[in-house]
Amino acid sequence: MPAIANPSLLILLHHHHHHHLRPRRFATALLPQTLLSLLSSSIRAPALRAHSTSSSAQTQPLSTDNARTGRSGSISSPPVQPDIAQKIDINPPKGTRDFPPEDMRLRNWLFNNFKEVSQLYGFEEVDFPVLESEALFIRKAGEEIREQLYCFEDRGNRRVALRPELTPSLARLVIQKGKSVPLPLKWFAVGQCWRYERMTRGRRREHYQWNMDIIGVPDVTAEAELISSIVTFFKRIGITASDVGFKVSSRKVLQEVLRGYSVPDHLFGRVCVIIDKMEKIPIDDIKKELRSAELSEEVIEELLQVLSVKSLEKLEEKLGTVGEALVDLKQLFSLAEKYGYADWIQFDASVVRGLAYYTGIVFEGFDREGKLRAICGGGRYDHLLSTFGGDNIPACGFGFGDAVIVELLKEKGLLPELSPQVENIVCSLDQDLRGTAAAVASILRQKGQSVDLVLENKPLKWVFKRAARINAQRLILVGSAEWQKGMVGVKILTSGEQYEVKVDELE
Ligand code: HAM
């Protein structure tokens, strides 16, 4: 530890011990150019002070007065046209969210887990515009998602929509890439989606969705891999197989029943969409809708019976033959054993999902207490690319929202405690040294250390309070007596240890 040359700073520091702060590691970094060379231009340079940056004056003409006083919270109305001021609603539009820092920390934590898991599985990140042409989302199957579309005409008279999901955009991009990309593609994305939904717990008008999709693999090995990645995600954030599970089925079960009764294939998507509403609307209404899709009473009864099946053995009995549906499902369950997540999944024929484009395996993540809506959902959509005019490329994937999972983490007491993180707080003890404090901050930042620089003249007590609030690990005080020797005062806030050190020896 460097020698203590002058006690004045240390006496000041001594009165403020903050032992409750958590310790952290300090990065050791390269020595920068010497402090004095860096400082020589800035010691007396008021340009370092916030108020004289001309760019902010240009971009925010109304706030220059305020910026010059360096005070916040004292915005005075502009002198011209004072009566145009009007009160705005300070809430975001219904069903949408702001992300203040504490919420943004949670969101970043969640998204980092999404991204890290995707990368763990070798997926590459992609993104698409939030605004797409409306036609991309119009399917004729009577899906709920169509009714919930945020769509409008833009200034160029084009019909556009805020995307309600990412899958159509992904299909569009795959087709656009054409033969230039070798298959399979393993892509993931985290993006905001918009649906004009009735608001319930975990359902909003805007949500972020994590998607992982595999394009070009016809085998259920792809679905098995996707479910494995979600299981890995759950485990990472502390959720176990006793908290959640996946209900798995295949739309081929319904398809086999429909084909058995010679129902034309073009009705398939529509029938699936109707059946998906079983839990939401009365069974008589479901039957009515199925009748209007030209299904006979006999087919309807048979469909409803098959949907109640909860085991593969029963399903085999019911279908009488081992068709594609059973082959796929059996292979998926045997792969689940190999992966080691068999206890997370169960067969449930009632899972159909509400999107028209699924063709094979479908699955949904659910909480075992049954309190929340689906946590995530996905499946195989082998014909979506061809319906958009692309080649007939098999594909499957899932969407995982950012809302229900947070509700679940709350229920289970698993929400992480995330505090702001900054390594240093740097403060000058008198006004004349503010530029110097800025230079000290610059040196630390060049070494990769984060710094919260105190930008105003504040009493030390205030600085300590702020340090605790932002969770700073170290306080660097710039005082004139020490500064004359090129030194600053340091207090390690986690241990209370304090000393003086030459600026270029700061690590
Ligand atoms: P989805 O089931 O409509 O599927 O949505 C997937 C997930 O997004 C849901 O399970 C839920 O976590 C979340 N979600 C959906 N709507 C809302 C909402 N209004 N508020 C909050 N969260 C919501 C799809 O969107 C498919 N495109 C997923 C997919 C990708 N299939 C294949 N690849």
Side-chain angles (χ1 to χ4, degrees):
M1 191 168 72
I4 296 172
N6 180 325
S8 60
L9 275 180
L10 296 182
I11 288 166
L12 266 170
L13 288 168
H14 195 69
H15 297 294
H16 302 272
H17 278 268
H18 282 258
H19 293 291
H20 60 280
L21 294 167
R22 275 186 281 121
R24 72 173 310 287
R25 279 172 285 122
F26 287 103
T28 45
L30 303 170
L31 280 179
Q33 64 250 67
T34 68
L35 174 69
L36 289 176
S37 70
L38 220 149
L39 290 180
S40 55
S41 59
S42 55
I43 285 178
R44 255 170 253 98
L48 272 175
R49 293 185 191 166
H51 67 248
S52 54
T53 50
S54 55
S55 64
S56 74
Q58 272 160 14
T59 52
Q60 295 175 310
L62 291 182
S63 60
T64 46
D65 278 352
N66 182 46
R68 216 161 268 144
T69 63
R71 246 178 268 131
S72 50
S74 61
I75 301 171
S76 50
S77 27
V80 279
Q81 295 178 308
D83 53 355
I84 64 162
Q86 50 172 279
K87 272 204 175 146
I88 52 147
D89 184 352
I90 54 162
N91 294 303
K94 184 163 188 224
T96 70
R97 295 163 291 176
D98 291 316
F99 290 89
E102 60 279 12
D103 294 347
M104 201 62 199
R105 282 198 290 276
L106 182 63
R107 175 172 138 185
N108 281 334
W109 171 83
L110 193 65
F111 288 15
N112 285 341
N113 276 295
F114 289 157
K115 289 178 184 184
E116 282 163 25
V117 169
S118 305
Q119 279 152 3
L120 213 53
Y121 280 73
F123 282 58
E124 291 181 284
E125 187 165 12
V126 291
D127 199 7
F128 325 98
V130 176
L131 190 73
E132 286 274 15
S133 97
E134 184 185 28
L136 196 62
F137 306 112
I138 308 289
R139 296 179 287 260
K140 291 195 187 73
E143 297 161 297
E144 198 178 28
I145 206 170
R146 169 75 185 91
E147 309 302 312
Q148 300 168 334
L149 201 60
Y150 276 91
C151 49
F152 57 98
E153 200 166 276
D154 74 5
R155 288 167 193 270
N157 300 105
R158 282 169 289 257
R159 294 293 308 172
V160 290
L162 296 179
R163 63 182 179 197
E165 55 162 338
L166 305 176
T167 314
S169 304
L170 178 134
R172 181 177 60 64
L173 183 57
V174 172
I175 295 168
Q176 190 203 111
K177 285 270 168 198
K179 304 223 173 349
S180 68
V181 286
L183 300 177
L185 299 172
K186 295 178 181 176
W187 282 359
F188 82 93
V190 180
Q192 196 179 35
C193 299
W194 292 82
R195 299 183 191 184
Y196 197 84
E197 287 233 33
R198 212 168 46 82
M199 305 264 296
T200 56
R201 194 173 176 202
R203 282 291 180 275
R204 305 202 176 83
R205 302 216 163 137
E206 130 308 288
H207 70 282
Y208 284 83
Q209 230 186 65
W210 168 39
N211 278 223
M212 285 175 79
D213 289 89
I214 300 178
I215 322 297
V217 177
D219 229 73
V220 289
T221 47
E223 285 94 325
E225 179 82 342
L226 292 171
I227 296 173
S228 165
S229 59
I230 308 177
V231 169
T232 299
F233 169 80
F234 279 138
K235 284 184 180 163
R236 262 175 95 102
I237 62 170
I239 302 240
T240 66
S242 54
D243 302 320
V244 301
F246 296 89
K247 291 179 185 164
V248 182
S249 185
S250 171
R251 278 199 180 174
K252 287 178 186 169
V253 172
L254 295 182
Q255 196 176 39
E256 281 168 29
V257 173
L258 293 175
R259 282 189 178 157
Y261 287 88
S262 307
V263 176
D265 274 355
H266 73 264
L267 287 175
F268 179 63
R270 188 163 155 209
V271 170
C272 290
V273 168
I274 296 170
I275 286 174
D276 178 66
K277 291 187 255 180
M278 285 237 294
E279 276 182 7
K280 290 174 226 155
I281 60 176
I283 191 71
D284 285 342
D285 294 347
I286 298 279
K287 287 184 179 172
K288 216 181 281 167
E289 284 198 42
L290 289 173
R291 273 181 222 121
S292 69
E294 291 157 59
L295 297 199
S296 68
E297 291 304 321
E298 205 188 353
V299 189
I300 294 174
E301 283 313 314
E302 181 65 19
L303 278 179
L304 297 183
Q305 275 196 26
V306 166
L307 289 169
S308 65
V309 173
K310 301 267 187 268
S311 81
L312 288 183
E313 296 74 42
K314 283 264 165 56
L315 184 67
E316 194 165 341
E317 250 172 58
K318 190 97 200 82
L319 294 176
T321 53
V322 180
E324 274 183 50
L326 263 164
V327 172
D328 286 356
L329 286 162
K330 281 182 172 173
Q331 198 195 343
L332 181 63
F333 279 87
S334 111
L335 283 165
E337 297 274 353
K338 299 270 169 14
Y339 274 102
Y341 63 75
D343 51 337
W344 293 70
I345 65 171
Q346 65 196 56
F347 172 71
D348 187 335
S350 71
V351 172
V352 178
R353 307 210 11 87
L355 297 163
Y357 50 67
Y358 291 118
T359 53
I361 296 285
V362 278
F363 56 88
E364 247 167 45
F366 68 99
D367 72 300
R368 293 198 191 270
E369 285 185 48
K371 289 190 184 162
L372 306 165
R373 287 188 56 171
I375 305 171
C376 59
R380 175 163 290 279
Y381 49 101
D382 283 350
H383 302 321
L384 184 61
L385 279 97
S386 61
T387 59
F388 283 161
D391 290 345
N392 212 357
I393 301 174
C396 61
F398 68 81
F400 190 122
D402 67 339
V404 181
I405 186 63
V406 169
E407 294 298 322
L408 184 69
L409 289 168
K410 268 188 214 156
E411 288 273 327
K412 305 279 171 197
L414 288 170
L415 273 185
E417 266 186 44
L418 305 163
S419 44
Q421 286 289 330
V422 66
E423 285 153 318
N424 303 280
I425 182 164
V426 172
C427 170
S428 64
L429 280 176
D430 71 67
Q431 189 138 0
D432 292 344
L433 284 172
R434 268 202 238 160
T436 309
V440 170
S442 297
I443 288 171
L444 283 165
R445 288 168 182 153
Q446 272 175 31
K447 291 183 180 183
Q449 289 258 326
S450 56
V451 174
D452 177 59
L453 177 62
V454 177
L455 300 168
E456 302 154 282
N457 262 7
K458 291 289 183 188
L460 204 53
K461 196 171 157 207
W462 183 95
V463 177
F464 273 105
K465 249 203 203 137
R466 181 173 175 84
R469 193 183 69 73
I470 65 175
N471 219 12
Q473 309 298 315
R474 188 163 71 161
L475 167 63
I476 313 277
L477 265 189
V478 184
S480 60
E482 299 70 24
W483 186 244
Q484 276 162 20
K485 296 171 292 171
M487 297 183 99
V488 292
V490 173
K491 178 161 181 144
I492 309 296
L493 294 165
T494 46
S495 62
E497 182 192 355
Q498 54 193 48
Y499 50 86
E500 285 178 9
V501 65
K502 281 237 170 349
V503 175
D504 49 13
E505 282 164 16
L506 263 180
E507 282 291 313

